[in-house]
Amino acid sequence: MKRLFCIAASCLLAVAATAQTLVTTPIMGFLTLNLQAGTNFMGFALLPSMELQAVVNISPGDRTHVFVQGAPQVALTDNQFNPGALPSHTIEIVSAGTGLGFTSAIVDTLATGNEIVLADAIPAGVLDGATIKIWKLWTLADAFGADNSAGLTGGQTPETADLIQLPNGSGFDEFFYSTGGAQGIGWRQVGQGTANQASVPLEFSGGIAIRARSPKSIVIVGQIKPGKTMITLQTGNNFVANLCPVNASGDTPSTEGRTLGNSGLQAGLTGGIASTQADLVLIWNGQGYSQYYYSTGGLPGQGWRRIGGGVTDQSGVALPDGAYIIFRRGAPVQIQVNQGNF
C-alpha cells in the first residue's frame, strides 16, 4: 500500500472564549490500497475531515461532559455530532500532557451550554482550557462510496463479493456491497438481510480486514491526523491501525515512518525477560505472523526481540502500512502511540 500526501490550502477555524482564533491547515492526502486476493489487513492513516478545533471546560461532576468555549461565535446545534443511532464523530485531546491523544466517540451534542457528551470519561490529568479536535469517523459509504465507487467486487451474495471484516471483540462482523437480487442494492451485513449498512462506522485507530476475491487497487482521500494517539487495548487480540501516513519500508521509505523502535509501543506494553510474560506485536509476513515483544533483560537482553530470533535487535522492523495485532496478556489498558509529526 503506497501512501502519498499533500498540503491543503484551506483552513479550519474555531474561536476560543478569549476570542482568539485557533487556525489549523489540514494536511490532505490519499492512500492507494493495493489488495491481493485473499485476506488483507488494513488501517486508514487518513480521516474524512476535522470539523472543529476549540477550547473546552470539563464538568467536575461527570468527566464525560465537556463544554465548548467561544459562544456566540461557536454555537453548537442539537445532535450536531451525533445525527444518527451509530457513532459518527470522535473527540481528540490535543493539549500537551497525560491526556494527549485521548479519543472518545461523541454520543450527544446539546445546543444549550455548547455541551458535548462522550462515551468515555476525559482523563483526570486534562484540565479546563484543554484544546480538542472533533473528527468525523469513516463509514462504509464514506470510505468505499455509497454506490461502491471505490471498486470493490460486489455480488448478489456474500460468497461472490469482497468482504469487509470489522472486529467486534469476539470475531468479525462482515459486510459486502450487494448488486441486487434478494438483498437489494447497497451495503449489507452478512446474516442481516436487506438492512442498509452504509452508515456503519469504522473504529477510530482500529484495523480492519478485507477479503478480496481478486487483486485490485482502491484510493482513499482524507486528512492526516498528526501527533500522538491513545488507544485502548483489551485482553487478548487487538487490531490496531498504523496511523502514520508515510512508510518506514518499501519503495519510498521515510525516516518519519513508524517502526517498533519509534512507535512508542514499548512505553505502554508489558515487557518481560521471556515472550511468555510480555505483550506481543504480531505482523503479517505473507504466510503467517512474525511475533515481537519488548525484552526487559535476561538472556535475550533489553530491547525489541522476535520470537525465534534470539538476541537480534528488532527495533528497526517497520510497522505495516495497514494494520497489525497487539496481543495483550494483562487487564485492559490505554497506551499512547506516536505516528509522527506532519
Side-chain angles (χ1 to χ4, degrees), residues 218-272:
I218 60 177
V219 176
I220 305 294
V221 179
Q223 292 182 15
I224 292 171
K225 190 196 97 58
K228 297 180 179 180
T229 301
M230 293 181 72
I231 59 175
T232 299
L233 301 179
Q234 304 297 329
T235 303
N237 288 326
N238 299 264
F239 286 80
V240 180
N242 180 4
L243 295 177
C244 182
V246 294
N247 304 327
S249 62
D251 296 336
T252 56
S254 167
T255 56
E256 285 292 340
R258 296 297 93 182
T259 64
L260 290 173
N262 67 13
S263 64
L265 287 171
Q266 71 273 13
L269 298 184
T270 298

Short mmCIF file of all heavy atoms in Angstrom, two decimals, residues 218-272:
data_model
loop_
_atom_site.label_atom_id
_atom_site.label_comp_id
_atom_site.label_asym_id
_atom_site.label_seq_id
_atom_site.Cartn_x
_atom_site.Cartn_y
_atom_site.Cartn_z
N ILE A 218 -7.65 0.40 -4.64
CA ILE A 218 -8.67 1.40 -4.36
C ILE A 218 -8.00 2.60 -3.71
O ILE A 218 -6.96 2.48 -3.06
CB ILE A 218 -9.81 0.85 -3.47
CG1 ILE A 218 -9.26 0.38 -2.12
CG2 ILE A 218 -10.53 -0.28 -4.17
CD1 ILE A 218 -10.35 -0.09 -1.18
N VAL A 219 -8.59 3.78 -3.89
CA VAL A 219 -8.00 5.03 -3.40
C VAL A 219 -8.90 5.64 -2.33
O VAL A 219 -10.12 5.73 -2.51
CB VAL A 219 -7.79 6.03 -4.56
CG1 VAL A 219 -7.27 7.37 -4.03
CG2 VAL A 219 -6.82 5.46 -5.58
N ILE A 220 -8.29 6.06 -1.21
CA ILE A 220 -8.99 6.73 -0.12
C ILE A 220 -8.42 8.14 0.01
O ILE A 220 -7.20 8.32 0.06
CB ILE A 220 -8.80 5.98 1.21
CG1 ILE A 220 -9.24 4.51 1.09
CG2 ILE A 220 -9.55 6.68 2.33
CD1 ILE A 220 -10.71 4.32 0.85
N VAL A 221 -9.29 9.15 0.06
CA VAL A 221 -8.86 10.55 0.18
C VAL A 221 -9.33 11.10 1.53
O VAL A 221 -10.47 10.87 1.94
CB VAL A 221 -9.44 11.41 -0.96
CG1 VAL A 221 -9.01 12.86 -0.81
CG2 VAL A 221 -8.99 10.86 -2.31
N GLY A 222 -8.45 11.82 2.24
CA GLY A 222 -8.85 12.38 3.52
C GLY A 222 -7.78 13.27 4.11
O GLY A 222 -6.87 13.74 3.42
N GLN A 223 -7.88 13.52 5.43
CA GLN A 223 -6.95 14.38 6.15
C GLN A 223 -6.07 13.55 7.08
O GLN A 223 -6.50 12.54 7.64
CB GLN A 223 -7.71 15.42 6.98
CG GLN A 223 -8.45 16.45 6.15
CD GLN A 223 -9.15 17.49 7.02
OE1 GLN A 223 -8.86 17.62 8.20
NE2 GLN A 223 -10.07 18.22 6.43
N ILE A 224 -4.83 14.00 7.25
CA ILE A 224 -3.88 13.33 8.13
C ILE A 224 -4.09 13.81 9.56
O ILE A 224 -4.22 15.01 9.82
CB ILE A 224 -2.44 13.61 7.68
CG1 ILE A 224 -2.18 12.93 6.33
CG2 ILE A 224 -1.43 13.14 8.72
CD1 ILE A 224 -0.87 13.31 5.71
N LYS A 225 -4.12 12.86 10.51
CA LYS A 225 -4.18 13.20 11.92
C LYS A 225 -2.77 13.18 12.48
O LYS A 225 -2.16 12.12 12.61
CB LYS A 225 -5.04 12.20 12.70
CG LYS A 225 -5.33 12.65 14.13
CD LYS A 225 -5.84 11.52 15.00
CE LYS A 225 -4.74 10.91 15.81
NZ LYS A 225 -4.02 11.83 16.71
N PRO A 226 -2.19 14.34 12.83
CA PRO A 226 -0.82 14.37 13.33
C PRO A 226 -0.75 14.06 14.82
O PRO A 226 -1.76 13.96 15.51
CB PRO A 226 -0.39 15.81 13.05
CG PRO A 226 -1.66 16.59 13.19
CD PRO A 226 -2.76 15.69 12.67
N GLY A 227 0.49 13.91 15.31
CA GLY A 227 0.70 13.80 16.74
C GLY A 227 0.52 12.41 17.29
O GLY A 227 0.66 11.42 16.59
N LYS A 228 0.20 12.33 18.58
CA LYS A 228 0.07 11.05 19.28
C LYS A 228 -1.40 10.67 19.43
O LYS A 228 -2.28 11.52 19.42
CB LYS A 228 0.74 11.13 20.65
CG LYS A 228 2.24 11.39 20.57
CD LYS A 228 2.88 11.45 21.95
CE LYS A 228 4.38 11.69 21.83
NZ LYS A 228 5.04 11.75 23.15
N THR A 229 -1.63 9.37 19.58
CA THR A 229 -2.99 8.85 19.75
C THR A 229 -3.00 7.84 20.87
O THR A 229 -2.12 6.97 20.95
CB THR A 229 -3.48 8.18 18.45
OG1 THR A 229 -3.44 9.12 17.38
CG2 THR A 229 -4.91 7.66 18.62
N MET A 230 -3.99 7.95 21.75
CA MET A 230 -4.18 6.94 22.79
C MET A 230 -5.15 5.89 22.28
O MET A 230 -6.19 6.21 21.72
CB MET A 230 -4.72 7.58 24.08
CG MET A 230 -3.74 8.51 24.75
SD MET A 230 -4.38 9.24 26.29
CE MET A 230 -4.32 7.82 27.38
N ILE A 231 -4.78 4.63 22.47
CA ILE A 231 -5.65 3.53 22.07
C ILE A 231 -5.90 2.64 23.27
O ILE A 231 -5.06 2.53 24.17
CB ILE A 231 -5.05 2.71 20.90
CG1 ILE A 231 -3.69 2.12 21.29
CG2 ILE A 231 -4.92 3.57 19.66
CD1 ILE A 231 -3.10 1.21 20.23
N THR A 232 -7.06 2.02 23.31
CA THR A 232 -7.42 1.11 24.39
C THR A 232 -7.22 -0.33 23.93
O THR A 232 -7.76 -0.73 22.90
CB THR A 232 -8.87 1.31 24.83
OG1 THR A 232 -9.03 2.66 25.30
CG2 THR A 232 -9.24 0.35 25.95
N LEU A 233 -6.43 -1.07 24.69
CA LEU A 233 -6.19 -2.48 24.39
C LEU A 233 -7.00 -3.33 25.35
O LEU A 233 -6.93 -3.16 26.57
CB LEU A 233 -4.70 -2.82 24.54
CG LEU A 233 -3.72 -2.04 23.66
CD1 LEU A 233 -2.30 -2.49 23.96
CD2 LEU A 233 -4.04 -2.24 22.19
N GLN A 234 -7.78 -4.25 24.79
CA GLN A 234 -8.50 -5.22 25.59
C GLN A 234 -7.63 -6.46 25.78
O GLN A 234 -6.68 -6.70 25.03
CB GLN A 234 -9.81 -5.60 24.91
CG GLN A 234 -10.72 -4.43 24.61
CD GLN A 234 -11.19 -3.70 25.85
OE1 GLN A 234 -11.35 -4.31 26.92
NE2 GLN A 234 -11.42 -2.40 25.73
N THR A 235 -7.93 -7.25 26.79
CA THR A 235 -7.21 -8.51 26.98
C THR A 235 -7.42 -9.40 25.76
O THR A 235 -8.54 -9.57 25.29
CB THR A 235 -7.71 -9.23 28.24
OG1 THR A 235 -7.55 -8.36 29.37
CG2 THR A 235 -6.93 -10.51 28.48
N GLY A 236 -6.33 -9.92 25.21
CA GLY A 236 -6.41 -10.74 24.01
C GLY A 236 -5.98 -9.97 22.79
O GLY A 236 -5.17 -9.03 22.87
N ASN A 237 -6.51 -10.33 21.63
CA ASN A 237 -6.09 -9.73 20.36
C ASN A 237 -6.78 -8.39 20.11
O ASN A 237 -7.98 -8.25 20.32
CB ASN A 237 -6.40 -10.68 19.20
CG ASN A 237 -5.48 -11.89 19.18
OD1 ASN A 237 -4.32 -11.79 19.55
ND2 ASN A 237 -5.99 -13.03 18.75
N ASN A 238 -5.99 -7.42 19.64
CA ASN A 238 -6.49 -6.10 19.28
C ASN A 238 -5.96 -5.73 17.90
O ASN A 238 -4.75 -5.80 17.66
CB ASN A 238 -6.00 -5.04 20.28
CG ASN A 238 -6.47 -5.31 21.69
OD1 ASN A 238 -7.46 -4.77 22.15
ND2 ASN A 238 -5.73 -6.15 22.43
N PHE A 239 -6.86 -5.36 16.98
CA PHE A 239 -6.45 -4.92 15.66
C PHE A 239 -6.21 -3.41 15.70
O PHE A 239 -7.11 -2.64 16.04
CB PHE A 239 -7.52 -5.26 14.62
CG PHE A 239 -7.57 -6.73 14.30
CD1 PHE A 239 -8.22 -7.62 15.14
CD2 PHE A 239 -6.94 -7.23 13.17
CE1 PHE A 239 -8.25 -8.97 14.86
CE2 PHE A 239 -6.97 -8.58 12.88
CZ PHE A 239 -7.63 -9.46 13.72
N VAL A 240 -4.98 -3.00 15.37
CA VAL A 240 -4.56 -1.61 15.52
C VAL A 240 -4.13 -1.07 14.16
O VAL A 240 -3.34 -1.70 13.45
CB VAL A 240 -3.40 -1.49 16.52
CG1 VAL A 240 -2.95 -0.04 16.67
CG2 VAL A 240 -3.80 -2.07 17.88
N ALA A 241 -4.64 0.11 13.80
CA ALA A 241 -4.26 0.75 12.54
C ALA A 241 -2.95 1.50 12.71
O ALA A 241 -2.70 2.12 13.75
CB ALA A 241 -5.36 1.70 12.08
N ASN A 242 -2.11 1.46 11.69
CA ASN A 242 -0.92 2.31 11.64
C ASN A 242 -1.35 3.66 11.07
O ASN A 242 -1.61 3.78 9.88
CB ASN A 242 0.14 1.65 10.76
CG ASN A 242 1.40 2.49 10.66
OD1 ASN A 242 1.53 3.54 11.30
ND2 ASN A 242 2.35 2.05 9.86
N LEU A 243 -1.43 4.68 11.93
CA LEU A 243 -1.95 5.98 11.52
C LEU A 243 -0.89 6.87 10.87
O LEU A 243 -1.21 7.99 10.45
CB LEU A 243 -2.55 6.71 12.73
CG LEU A 243 -3.78 6.06 13.35
CD1 LEU A 243 -4.23 6.83 14.58
CD2 LEU A 243 -4.91 5.95 12.35
N CYS A 244 0.35 6.41 10.79
CA CYS A 244 1.38 7.22 10.14
C CYS A 244 1.15 7.23 8.63
O CYS A 244 0.95 6.17 8.02
CB CYS A 244 2.76 6.65 10.45
SG CYS A 244 4.11 7.62 9.74
N PRO A 245 1.18 8.41 7.98
CA PRO A 245 0.85 8.48 6.56
C PRO A 245 2.00 8.15 5.62
O PRO A 245 1.82 8.18 4.40
CB PRO A 245 0.42 9.94 6.39
CG PRO A 245 1.25 10.67 7.39
CD PRO A 245 1.35 9.74 8.57
N VAL A 246 3.19 7.86 6.14
CA VAL A 246 4.31 7.50 5.29
C VAL A 246 4.89 6.18 5.76
O VAL A 246 4.67 5.74 6.89
CB VAL A 246 5.40 8.60 5.28
CG1 VAL A 246 4.89 9.87 4.65
CG2 VAL A 246 5.91 8.87 6.70
N ASN A 247 5.66 5.53 4.88
CA ASN A 247 6.17 4.20 5.14
C ASN A 247 7.58 4.23 5.72
O ASN A 247 8.39 5.08 5.36
CB ASN A 247 6.21 3.39 3.83
CG ASN A 247 4.87 3.33 3.15
OD1 ASN A 247 3.84 3.32 3.81
ND2 ASN A 247 4.87 3.29 1.83
N ALA A 248 7.88 3.26 6.57
CA ALA A 248 9.24 3.08 7.06
C ALA A 248 10.02 2.10 6.19
O ALA A 248 11.23 1.94 6.36
CB ALA A 248 9.23 2.59 8.50
N SER A 249 9.34 1.44 5.26
CA SER A 249 10.00 0.48 4.38
C SER A 249 9.32 0.56 3.01
O SER A 249 8.47 1.42 2.78
CB SER A 249 9.90 -0.94 4.95
OG SER A 249 8.54 -1.33 5.05
N GLY A 250 9.71 -0.31 2.11
CA GLY A 250 9.09 -0.33 0.79
C GLY A 250 9.85 0.51 -0.22
O GLY A 250 11.03 0.83 -0.05
N ASP A 251 9.16 0.92 -1.29
CA ASP A 251 9.80 1.62 -2.40
C ASP A 251 10.25 3.03 -2.03
O ASP A 251 11.27 3.51 -2.53
CB ASP A 251 8.85 1.70 -3.60
CG ASP A 251 8.52 0.32 -4.16
OD1 ASP A 251 9.33 -0.60 -3.96
OD2 ASP A 251 7.45 0.18 -4.78
N THR A 252 9.48 3.71 -1.19
CA THR A 252 9.80 5.10 -0.83
C THR A 252 9.81 5.26 0.68
O THR A 252 8.94 5.94 1.25
CB THR A 252 8.78 6.07 -1.47
OG1 THR A 252 7.46 5.68 -1.06
CG2 THR A 252 8.88 6.04 -2.99
N PRO A 253 10.77 4.65 1.38
CA PRO A 253 10.78 4.73 2.85
C PRO A 253 11.07 6.15 3.33
O PRO A 253 11.78 6.91 2.69
CB PRO A 253 11.90 3.77 3.24
CG PRO A 253 12.81 3.73 2.06
CD PRO A 253 11.90 3.87 0.87
N SER A 254 10.50 6.48 4.49
CA SER A 254 10.70 7.79 5.11
C SER A 254 11.20 7.59 6.53
O SER A 254 10.80 6.64 7.21
CB SER A 254 9.38 8.57 5.12
OG SER A 254 9.48 9.71 5.96
N THR A 255 12.04 8.52 6.99
CA THR A 255 12.51 8.45 8.38
C THR A 255 11.38 8.71 9.36
O THR A 255 11.50 8.41 10.55
CB THR A 255 13.63 9.46 8.62
OG1 THR A 255 13.16 10.77 8.26
CG2 THR A 255 14.86 9.13 7.78
N GLU A 256 10.26 9.30 8.88
CA GLU A 256 9.10 9.52 9.74
C GLU A 256 8.21 8.28 9.82
O GLU A 256 7.26 8.25 10.60
CB GLU A 256 8.27 10.70 9.24
CG GLU A 256 8.88 12.06 9.52
CD GLU A 256 8.89 12.40 11.00
OE1 GLU A 256 8.11 11.80 11.77
OE2 GLU A 256 9.68 13.27 11.40
N GLY A 257 8.48 7.27 9.00
CA GLY A 257 7.69 6.04 9.06
C GLY A 257 7.85 5.36 10.40
O GLY A 257 8.88 5.48 11.08
N ARG A 258 6.83 4.61 10.80
CA ARG A 258 6.82 4.00 12.13
C ARG A 258 7.45 2.61 12.13
O ARG A 258 7.18 1.77 11.28
CB ARG A 258 5.39 3.90 12.65
CG ARG A 258 4.70 5.24 12.87
CD ARG A 258 5.39 6.10 13.93
NE ARG A 258 6.36 7.01 13.34
CZ ARG A 258 7.12 7.84 14.05
NH1 ARG A 258 7.03 7.83 15.36
NH2 ARG A 258 7.97 8.63 13.45
N THR A 259 8.33 2.41 13.11
CA THR A 259 8.95 1.12 13.38
C THR A 259 8.61 0.71 14.81
O THR A 259 8.04 1.50 15.58
CB THR A 259 10.47 1.21 13.23
OG1 THR A 259 10.98 2.10 14.23
CG2 THR A 259 10.87 1.72 11.84
N LEU A 260 8.98 -0.50 15.18
CA LEU A 260 8.80 -0.90 16.58
C LEU A 260 9.52 0.08 17.50
O LEU A 260 9.02 0.44 18.57
CB LEU A 260 9.33 -2.32 16.79
CG LEU A 260 8.53 -3.46 16.16
CD1 LEU A 260 9.27 -4.78 16.32
CD2 LEU A 260 7.14 -3.56 16.78
N GLY A 261 10.70 0.54 17.08
CA GLY A 261 11.51 1.38 17.94
C GLY A 261 11.00 2.79 18.13
O GLY A 261 11.16 3.37 19.22
N ASN A 262 10.39 3.40 17.10
CA ASN A 262 9.97 4.80 17.23
C ASN A 262 8.46 4.96 17.40
O ASN A 262 7.95 6.08 17.41
CB ASN A 262 10.45 5.65 16.05
CG ASN A 262 9.79 5.28 14.74
OD1 ASN A 262 8.80 4.56 14.69
ND2 ASN A 262 10.36 5.76 13.64
N SER A 263 7.74 3.86 17.55
CA SER A 263 6.28 3.91 17.65
C SER A 263 5.78 4.31 19.03
O SER A 263 4.63 4.73 19.17
CB SER A 263 5.70 2.53 17.32
OG SER A 263 6.12 1.57 18.29
N GLY A 264 6.63 4.17 20.05
CA GLY A 264 6.20 4.43 21.42
C GLY A 264 5.50 3.26 22.07
O GLY A 264 5.07 3.35 23.23
N LEU A 265 5.40 2.13 21.37
CA LEU A 265 4.68 0.99 21.92
C LEU A 265 5.31 0.45 23.19
O LEU A 265 4.61 0.00 24.11
CB LEU A 265 4.60 -0.13 20.87
CG LEU A 265 3.65 0.09 19.70
CD1 LEU A 265 3.84 -1.00 18.65
CD2 LEU A 265 2.20 0.12 20.17
N GLN A 266 6.66 0.49 23.27
CA GLN A 266 7.32 -0.12 24.42
C GLN A 266 6.96 0.57 25.72
O GLN A 266 7.03 -0.03 26.80
CB GLN A 266 8.84 -0.14 24.23
CG GLN A 266 9.52 1.21 24.32
CD GLN A 266 9.55 1.93 22.99
OE1 GLN A 266 8.86 1.55 22.04
NE2 GLN A 266 10.35 2.98 22.91
N ALA A 267 6.54 1.86 25.66
CA ALA A 267 6.20 2.58 26.89
C ALA A 267 4.87 2.12 27.47
O ALA A 267 4.63 2.29 28.67
CB ALA A 267 6.14 4.09 26.60
N GLY A 268 4.00 1.54 26.64
CA GLY A 268 2.68 1.16 27.13
C GLY A 268 2.45 -0.33 27.25
O GLY A 268 1.59 -0.77 28.02
N LEU A 269 3.21 -1.12 26.48
CA LEU A 269 3.02 -2.56 26.52
C LEU A 269 3.80 -3.18 27.67
O LEU A 269 4.80 -2.63 28.14
CB LEU A 269 3.47 -3.19 25.20
CG LEU A 269 2.73 -2.75 23.94
CD1 LEU A 269 3.24 -3.53 22.73
CD2 LEU A 269 1.23 -2.92 24.09
N THR A 270 3.35 -4.33 28.12
CA THR A 270 4.06 -5.07 29.16
C THR A 270 5.21 -5.83 28.53
O THR A 270 5.02 -6.59 27.57
CB THR A 270 3.11 -6.05 29.86
OG1 THR A 270 2.06 -5.31 30.49
CG2 THR A 270 3.86 -6.87 30.90
N GLY A 271 6.41 -5.61 29.04
CA GLY A 271 7.57 -6.34 28.58
C GLY A 271 7.88 -7.50 29.51
O GLY A 271 7.17 -7.74 30.50
N GLY A 272 8.93 -8.23 29.20
CA GLY A 272 9.32 -9.35 30.05
C GLY A 272 10.64 -9.93 29.60
O GLY A 272 11.12 -9.64 28.49
#
